[in-house]
Amino acid sequence: AIQAYDGHYLSAEPNQQNEIIAKSETVNTLETFTMVELEKDFVAFKSSSEKYLRFDEKTQQIFADGKSIGKKEKFHFIFKK
């Protein structure tokens, strides 16, 4: 699960056009993501619906509708202690 700054969990709800929103207070299937390690500090996230998180440059939103890992499905992962 991925938790937002306000304590809510990111959720990939199919009835919201697979838009990722931080509104859930608990972790269930829709709030579960698999992190896929890629090259040098990059990762992809797969939702419970088997779709990858995708960044939409036009709307500046993240959707869980990527069919494969491409440029828009890669995220730079920074681990801070």
Side-chain angles (χ1 to χ4, degrees), residues 16-45:
Q16 297 292 327
Q17 300 174 333
N18 292 313
E19 180 182 2
I20 301 298
I21 50 179
K23 72 172 193 171
S24 181
E25 294 179 358
T26 59
V27 176
N28 293 301
T29 303
L30 296 177
E31 292 75 38
T32 304
F33 302 91
T34 301
M35 185 171 74
V36 180
E37 292 184 47
L38 304 171
E39 72 278 350
K40 192 177 179 181
D41 300 331
F42 282 88
V43 297
F45 294 97

Side-chain angles (χ1 to χ4, degrees), residues 25-75:
E25 294 179 358
T26 59
V27 176
N28 293 301
T29 303
L30 296 177
E31 292 75 38
T32 304
F33 302 91
T34 301
M35 185 171 74
V36 180
E37 292 184 47
L38 304 171
E39 72 278 350
K40 192 177 179 181
D41 300 331
F42 282 88
V43 297
F45 294 97
K46 187 183 267 191
S47 70
S48 60
S49 65
E50 298 296 311
K51 300 289 184 179
Y52 292 97
L53 300 192
R54 175 187 62 82
F55 177 70
D56 185 293
E57 294 178 58
K58 184 177 179 182
T59 64
Q60 300 288 296
Q61 292 176 294
I62 297 175
F63 296 90
D65 62 0
K67 295 177 183 174
S68 61
I69 299 172
K71 175 185 170 187
K72 295 178 182 180
E73 290 77 25
K74 293 181 181 181
F75 296 86

